[in-house]
């Protein structure tokens, strides 16, 4: 059974049909979380619902469309949401702490590690971290519900997948108001091992007040299962859905992990971080990296795109633009441009024997899985 679990609650589940905050749902999840803590397991809760709570608190007729009023609703609703969680968890015998994040907190490696350390400290103190995007300062999720913005996760499904990576969680549970992934007949699909095949059942509808939808949930499943971990999508109103998911019982839809070895913690960060540029590889370099673990040398790079720094995550693409891998740049973009296409022997003549020629070290290079 998993020791570290991330549980995400969607907007429709947290706020309910009448708006505001559904205290019964929070009480139920708090009780289940307390049971898991008593088993020496650790749970981080990613909670939507701040905007929905703020809409009701500010007397708005519905979810606003303009960004300033959306952020006002988030600002008003976030303390209400945090207080409601604190009350429910206190009744279950647990403390709590609020963790508000922006995309930059994940993309910057030291800040990413600090988030992980903060949550570990909360667990050590017997507190449950309640995680949410800092909607009052992030813009892309509120405005469009997409993950295109560099300052936003896009939706809390992706944020939950990112938190799973940060905490090396063995299980992500998405609690929502649907019973799971539904097939063409409307029946719950109990297990999914092929996400590409499962996407044919993906519906484009999004719950009222939410920004995700089934597409974002399958995207989260792709990230989690590619790292070698399990994800469950279940109805959060179902009795003990979280406990049953942790126990491995049949509840909702279980997305099975890939059979490949689990990703190391640093590569899970590489998997989620926003890329700052691209290295275009020739066919020989693509074939060489596909066959065995190796560092990317300058000779196999045909061009360098973007203005990135040493330590930033970059995409590795084929000559036709297909995304092939991603990794941590070993040099600034300008240096990479100078080195691109040169053989190691030429670089030794130019820089000396001790020069570190690789553009991406093999320990920080992640091949993208199918």
């Amino acid at each position: 059974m998993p020791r570290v679990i991330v549980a995400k609650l969607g907007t429709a589940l947290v706020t309910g049909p009448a708006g505001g905050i559904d205290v019964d749902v929070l009480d139920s999840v708090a009780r289940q979380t307390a049971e898991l803590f008593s088993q020496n397991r650790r749970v981080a809760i990613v909670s939507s619902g701040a905007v929905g709570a703020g809409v009701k608190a500010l007397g708005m007729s519905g979810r606003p469309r303009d960004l300033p009023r959306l952020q006002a609703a988030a600002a008003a609703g976030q303390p209400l949401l945090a207080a409601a969680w604190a009350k429910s968890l206190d009744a279950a015998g647990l403390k709590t702490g609020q963790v508000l994040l922006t995309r930059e907190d994940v993309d910057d490696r030291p800040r990413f590690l600090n988030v992980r350390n903060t949550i570990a400290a909360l667990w050590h103190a017997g507190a449950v971290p309640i995680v949410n995007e800092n909607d009052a300062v992030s813009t892309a999720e509120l405005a469009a519900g997409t993950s295109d913005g560099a300052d936003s996760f896009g939706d809390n499904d992706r944020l939950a997948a990112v938190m799973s990576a940060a905490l090396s969680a063995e299980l992500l549970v998405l609690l929502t108001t649907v019973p799971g992934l539904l097939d063409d007949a409307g029946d719950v699909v109990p297990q999914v091992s092929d996400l590409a095949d499962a996407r044919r059942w993906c519906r484009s509808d999004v719950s009222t007040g939410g920004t995700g939808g089934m597409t974002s949930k399958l995207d989260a499943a792709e990230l989690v299962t590619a790292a070698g971990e399990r994800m469950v999508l279940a109805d959060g109103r179902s009795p003990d859905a979280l406990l049953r998911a942790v126990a491995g019982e049949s509840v909702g839809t279980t997305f099975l992990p890939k059979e490949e070895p689990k990703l190391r913690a640093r590569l899970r960060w590489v998997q989620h971080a926003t890329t700052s540029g691209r290295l275009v590889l020739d066919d020989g370099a693509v074939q060489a990296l596909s066959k065995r673990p190796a560092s990317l040398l300058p000779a196999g790079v045909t061009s360098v795109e973007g203005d990135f720094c040493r330590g930033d995550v970059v995409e590795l693409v084929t000559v036709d633009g297909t995304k092939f891998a991603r990794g941590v740049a070993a040099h600034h973009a300008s240096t990479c441009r100078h080195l691109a296409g040169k053989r190691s022997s030429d670089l030794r003549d130019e820089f000396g024997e001790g020069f570190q020629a690789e553009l991406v070290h093999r320990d920080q290079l992640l091949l993208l899985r199918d």
Side-chain angles (χ1 to χ4, degrees), residues 42 113-127 129 167:
R42 295 296 174 257
L113 295 176
N114 191 55
V115 169
R116 188 173 68 183
N117 293 338
T118 298
I119 290 177
L122 285 170
W123 281 336
H124 183 73
L167 304 174

Side-chain angles (χ1 to χ4, degrees), residues 125-147:
V128 179
I130 304 298
V131 184
N132 200 355
E133 181 158 10
N134 193 350
D135 288 334
V137 297
S138 297
T139 59
E141 174 186 354
L142 286 172
T146 71
S147 57

Side-chain angles (χ1 to χ4, degrees), residues 243-263:
L243 290 175
R244 293 172 62 196
V246 173
E249 297 179 15
S250 180
V251 54
T253 301
T254 297
F255 296 85
L256 300 175
K258 302 291 185 182
E259 295 181 358
E260 292 89 344
K262 295 182 180 182
L263 292 182

